[in-house]
């Protein structure tokens, strides 16, 4: 065994010697841009973590899982899973100063496919997530009319015999005017995914506008994004607080809030509630999407990532709870107006912000003010998340192919433009008349199925193979002190076990994708699994390739593949202590490409 370990170490050293950077590569690393200030990084991270899911997912999940009692498992999961994993992602990005692909290739060559899988899933996510921004823009521009178009059943798109100007309640044969506006005007929805229908040219224009906005905000990298987030990350809080102050004064608001927070303590004994809490924390913060690693890679080496992880995680949780009060105060108001139970109005997903809340806004005093502000808030929430997701792909291209591509494109801005154009083109199928079915299929198999598997392997790679001791050493070199026993215990045992529980629960409770009452055909579910495998397959392929390229017996190859290529024994990491006369020494971590 000792001989095998020595051979593996020798191969690792040989591999490191092959990775000696050229002076040009060293210069490129030394010139890697950084955030203009610590606040820019915090705001960008908060903007990414706080997204549409905080508004349309958490409040509904909270009231369905025990109301105020759900906050107990939720906050416990924030402490045991959310903060430690966000801290470790920040550490990986800031220490290596690389995107997820090259960072994982260095900390765990055996599971280097995790990094590529992260980039693939983020790329797929960015192709359809901006479709939501096109919907928000559509509602935003329509909200400037004297009469909001989703309040009446007398429009050309309405099915008058099947339309109700309010919520139909138990009259299941009726649809609300706002539901028909969403289905028959915005989407012009067909009967199923089998019927694609034509292109929705209005949405095509709004999707193009959304991508133009994204490009203009990120084309200069962190230099431009860091300035934009001062507005996009902060503005939604002004609107949320303004809506809350307005909503609590409406009749019925108290009943809605009580419905949201009243604890049902018996729910705490249901395993599913705890799994839902862990999954909500995981998905809301954005673990395993690679965005936090990419954004942290533009930090200065000694930035206080522990402080940042605490701020981002707690702000994200606070926003979710704040959004719950905003949403359910308005839902209680609607229940009061239509004399319906709250549960007949409460829902989750896009239907909450594009069907229920537009109806709420139309009945509010001064709706001409609140409607545009609400949809502009949705646009800001979504754009922040989109910035960070697109940045994952851009960072990968710059790290992997930067010098080669720049020989042809000449400017980094054109790399960003190319990524935006490709994502825009791949998003077009989601704005056809049957596009909502493709959207729901992509979202289910990308943001639910793939992400759970990917998160598990990321945690295994970092916490078990790379090891808690190495992670602690990385943190010590950046912050000057070793993480305390709380973080080490979470990384070693609690985080992997919680993620494993989420994975097992997701497999056991798996249900095929559906949209409302529509059930997808078998071929569509097969296509969904194919979409999921596009990202997941890189994990075993990367492991096979790494083992195959190493030398020795199978055991020796595995030992070599599990050895990190990061030089954790080096000293004088800080830029001001590096030898500026030797550019090669400045680039401590090199691309494996």
């Amino acid at each position: 065994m000792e001989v095998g370990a020595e051979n593996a170490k020798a191969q690792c050293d040989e591999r490191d010697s092959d990775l000696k950077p050229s002076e040009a590569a060293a210069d490129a690393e030394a010139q890697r841009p950084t955030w203009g200030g610590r606040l820019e990084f915090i705001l960008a991270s908060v903007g990414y973590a706080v997204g549409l899911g905080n508004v349309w997912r958490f409040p509904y999940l909270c009231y369905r899982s025990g109301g105020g009692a759900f906050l107990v498992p939720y906050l416990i999961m924030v402490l045991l899973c959310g903060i430690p994993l966000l801290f470790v992602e920040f550490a990986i990005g800031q220490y290596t100063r690389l995107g997820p692909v090259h960072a994982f290739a260095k900390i765990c060559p055996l599971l280097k496919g995790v990094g590529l899988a992260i980039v693939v899933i983020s790329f797929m996510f960015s192709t359809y997530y901006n479709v939501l921004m096109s919907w928000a823009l559509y509602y935003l521009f329509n909200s400037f009319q004297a009469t909001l178009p989703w309040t009446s059943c007398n429009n050309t798109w309405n099915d008058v015999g099947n339309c109700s100007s309010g919520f139909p309640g138990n009259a299941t044969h009726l649809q609300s005017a706002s539901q028909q506006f969403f289905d028959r005007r915005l989407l012009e929805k067909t009967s199923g995914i089998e019927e694609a229908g034509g292109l929705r040219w209005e949405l095509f224009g709004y999707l193009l506008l959304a991508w133009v906005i994204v490009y203009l905000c990120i084309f200069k990298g962190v230099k431009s994004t860091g300035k934009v987030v001062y507005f996009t990350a902060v503005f939604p809080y002004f609107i949320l607080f303004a809506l809350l102050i307005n909503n609590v004064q409406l009749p019925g608001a108290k009943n809605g809030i009580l419905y949201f927070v009243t604890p049902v303590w018996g729910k705490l004994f249901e395993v599913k509630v705890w799994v839902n809490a862990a999954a909500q924390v995981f998905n809301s913060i954005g673990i395993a999407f690679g965005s936090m690693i990419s954004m942290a890679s533009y930090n200065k080496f000694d930035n206080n990532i522990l402080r940042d992880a605490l701020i981002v995680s707690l702000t994200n949780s606070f926003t979710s709870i704040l959004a719950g009060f905003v949403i359910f105060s308005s839902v209680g108001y609607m229940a009061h107006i239509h004399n319906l139970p709250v549960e007949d109005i409460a829902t989750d997903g896009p239907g909450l912000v594009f069907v229920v809340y537009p109806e709420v806004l139309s009945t509010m005093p001064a709706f001409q003010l609140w409607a545009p502000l609400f949809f502009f808030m949705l646009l800001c929430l979504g754009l922040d998340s989109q910035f960070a997701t697109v940045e994952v792909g851009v960072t990968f291209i710059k790290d992997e192919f930067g010098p080669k591509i720049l020989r042809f494109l000449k400017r980094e801005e054109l790399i960003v433009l190319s990524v935006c154009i490709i994502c825009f083109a791949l998003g077009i199928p989601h704005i056809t008349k049957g596009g909502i079915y493709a959207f729901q299929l992509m979202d289910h198999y990308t943001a639910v199925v793939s992400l759970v598997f990917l998160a598990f392997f990321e945690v295994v790679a970092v916490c078990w193979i790379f090891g808690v001791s190495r992670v602690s050493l990385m943190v010590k070199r950046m912050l000057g002190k070793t993480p305390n026993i709380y973080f080490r215990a979470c990384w070693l045992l609690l985080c992997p076990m919680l993620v494993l529980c989420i994975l097992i629960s997701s497999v056991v409770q798996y249900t095929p994708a559906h949209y409302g009452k529509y059930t997808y055909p078998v071929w569509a579910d097969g296509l969904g699994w194919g979409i999921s495998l596009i990202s997941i397959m890189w994990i075993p392929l990367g492991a096979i390739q790494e083992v195959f390229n190493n030398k020795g017996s199978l055991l020796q190859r595995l030992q070599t593949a599990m050895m990190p290529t990061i030089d954790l024994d080096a000293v004088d990491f800080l830029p001001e202590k590096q030898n500026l006369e030797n550019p090669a020494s400045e680039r401590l971590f090199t691309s494996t490409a």
Side-chain angles (χ1 to χ4, degrees):
M1 183 64 70
E2 290 181 358
V3 174
E6 290 176 0
N7 290 339
K9 183 65 167 64
Q11 289 183 37
C12 188
D13 292 341
E14 179 182 346
R15 179 171 52 188
D16 287 343
S17 66
D18 293 337
L19 296 175
K20 295 298 182 182
S22 64
E23 291 191 4
D27 290 338
E29 178 68 12
Q31 295 171 4
R32 188 179 185 87
T34 58
W35 297 99
R38 293 176 178 177
L39 184 58
E40 290 184 5
F41 171 66
I42 293 174
L43 288 176
S45 300
V46 168
Y48 167 67
V50 176
L52 296 176
N54 297 73
V55 177
W56 75 34
R57 175 62 177 163
F58 177 83
Y60 182 81
L61 186 65
C62 189
Y63 104 85
R64 286 294 299 268
S65 302
F70 178 73
L71 296 179
V72 175
Y74 173 74
L75 293 176
I76 289 175
M77 293 304 170
V78 169
L79 294 174
L80 299 183
C81 190
I83 295 174
L85 288 179
L86 181 59
F87 185 21
V88 83
E89 284 207 348
F90 280 169
I92 292 170
Q94 183 167 302
Y95 191 87
T96 62
R97 301 211 67 193
L98 295 168
V101 173
H102 297 88
F104 276 94
K106 287 187 167 297
I107 67 174
C108 182
L110 180 65
L111 292 180
K112 62 184 180 182
V114 169
L116 190 54
I118 286 174
V119 171
V120 172
I121 197 173
S122 294
F123 176 77
M124 292 193 297
F125 184 79
S126 63
T127 61
Y128 72 85
Y129 188 79
N130 230 22
V131 173
L132 294 173
M133 300 304 97
S134 70
W135 297 353
L137 285 168
Y138 187 89
Y139 273 86
L140 175 63
F141 285 106
N142 276 276
S143 64
F144 288 108
Q145 299 182 28
T147 302
L148 297 177
W150 50 80
T151 60
S152 169
C153 290
N154 299 321
N155 301 290
T156 56
W157 60 80
N158 289 123
D159 180 2
V160 179
N162 190 33
C163 183
S164 168
S165 58
F167 287 99
N170 294 325
T172 55
H173 64 286
L174 296 178
Q175 281 186 316
S176 66
S178 58
Q179 183 69 60
Q180 290 202 357
F181 179 83
F182 182 72
D183 290 341
R184 303 169 69 90
R185 181 69 182 101
L186 172 72
L187 302 177
E188 295 186 14
K189 188 177 67 173
T190 61
S191 59
I193 196 172
E194 307 91 337
E195 186 182 353
L199 190 66
R200 286 283 289 113
W201 287 104
E202 284 179 286
L203 291 183
F204 179 90
Y206 285 122
L207 181 63
L208 178 61
L209 176 60
W211 275 110
V212 169
I213 295 172
V214 170
Y215 173 74
L216 292 177
C217 292
I218 69 171
F219 77 107
K220 287 289 187 181
V222 295
K223 298 298 183 184
S224 57
T225 307
K227 302 300 182 290
V228 172
V229 293
Y230 278 106
F231 177 79
T232 56
V234 174
F235 177 77
Y237 289 96
F238 287 100
I239 303 304
L240 285 173
F241 278 111
L243 283 170
L244 180 62
I245 293 170
N246 177 77
N247 291 358
V248 295
Q249 302 176 61
L250 299 174
K254 179 181 177 181
N255 294 332
I257 292 174
L258 288 176
Y259 196 85
F260 170 56
V261 301
T262 300
V264 181
W265 297 110
K267 289 282 188 179
L268 294 181
F269 298 99
E270 297 181 14
V271 175
K272 184 178 180 180
V273 170
W274 290 82
V275 173
N276 286 342
Q280 173 63 20
V281 170
F282 213 88
N283 293 329
S284 179
I285 294 178
I287 303 296
F289 272 107
S291 297
M292 294 302 191
I293 296 176
S294 294
M295 290 191 293
S297 72
Y298 297 104
N299 277 337
K300 295 180 179 179
F301 188 82
D302 58 346
N303 179 61
N304 190 343
I305 49 176
L306 175 57
R307 174 205 58 201
D308 296 347
L310 290 172
I311 292 174
V312 173
S313 300
L314 296 179
T315 302
N316 178 67
S317 299
F318 167 77
T319 308
S320 296
I321 297 171
L322 173 64
F325 280 95
V326 172
I327 294 299
F328 273 88
S329 59
S330 59
V331 168
Y333 167 62
M334 288 304 297
H336 173 81
I337 288 179
H338 296 288
N339 197 26
L340 291 171
V342 174
E343 58 265 26
D344 284 2
I345 297 178
T347 184
D348 69 337
L352 179 61
V353 295
F354 292 115
V355 176
V356 175
Y357 217 83
E359 179 75 18
V360 173
L361 292 168
S362 66
T363 63
M364 283 185 179
F367 65 83
Q368 298 94 338
L369 170 66
W370 295 116
L373 287 177
F374 176 77
F375 292 114
F376 189 64
M377 178 193 74
L378 292 184
L379 186 65
C380 291
L381 288 173
L383 285 175
D384 281 335
S385 300
Q386 186 72 354
F387 295 160
T389 307
V390 175
E391 187 61 43
V392 175
V394 173
T395 299
F396 164 66
I397 293 173
K398 289 179 179 178
D399 287 346
E400 180 72 24
F401 309 108
K404 297 178 182 178
I405 290 181
L406 288 176
R407 293 174 189 169
F408 300 97
L409 297 182
K410 306 301 181 184
R411 299 176 63 89
E412 290 189 357
E413 291 87 340
L414 295 179
I415 297 177
V416 180
L417 178 62
S418 302
V419 172
C420 290
I421 290 174
I422 294 171
C423 290
F424 165 71
L426 293 176
I428 291 176
H430 303 299
I431 53 173
T432 61
K433 295 179 180 180
I436 184 63
Y437 301 103
F439 175 91
Q440 190 71 17
L441 190 71
M442 280 283 290
D443 188 56
H444 181 79
Y445 285 99
T446 300
V448 179
V449 176
S450 297
L451 188 64
V452 174
F453 283 94
L454 184 55
F456 174 72
F457 284 104
E458 175 181 322
V459 171
V460 169
V462 176
C463 298
W464 283 351
I465 299 180
F466 184 62
V468 173
S469 60
R470 291 191 179 105
V471 174
S472 299
L473 183 56
M474 285 169 49
V475 173
K476 183 178 180 180
R477 293 200 179 280
M478 290 185 290
L479 304 185
K481 56 183 178 180
T482 303
N484 59 35
I485 186 64
Y486 156 69
F487 285 107
R488 298 201 300 273
C490 289
W491 293 333
L492 180 63
L493 184 62
L494 296 178
C495 290
M497 289 297 100
L498 287 172
V499 176
L500 181 61
C501 288
I502 297 173
L503 177 61
I504 294 173
S505 176
S506 300
V507 172
V508 172
Q509 299 177 13
Y510 168 77
T511 55
H514 63 89
Y515 178 66
K517 296 181 180 179
Y518 174 77
T519 302
Y520 285 86
V522 175
W523 67 264
D525 277 318
L527 178 62
W529 278 108
I531 292 170
S532 182
L533 290 174
I534 289 175
S535 60
I536 297 174
M537 70 178 185
W538 297 106
I539 299 174
L541 288 178
I544 292 171
Q545 189 261 353
E546 182 67 25
V547 171
F548 180 79
N549 285 346
N550 293 332
K551 301 174 183 178
S553 65
L554 179 60
L555 181 59
Q556 291 170 348
R557 291 168 184 252
L558 287 172
Q559 287 177 329
T560 304
M562 288 190 289
M563 285 187 178
T565 60
I566 293 179
D567 186 4
L568 291 172
D569 296 325
V571 294
D572 295 338
F573 280 78
L574 296 179
E576 59 267 22
K577 295 182 180 180
Q578 293 176 354
N579 180 10
L580 300 181
E581 296 181 357
N582 182 6
S585 68
E586 295 180 24
R587 183 179 170 93
L588 183 62
F589 308 110
T590 60
S591 169
T592 58

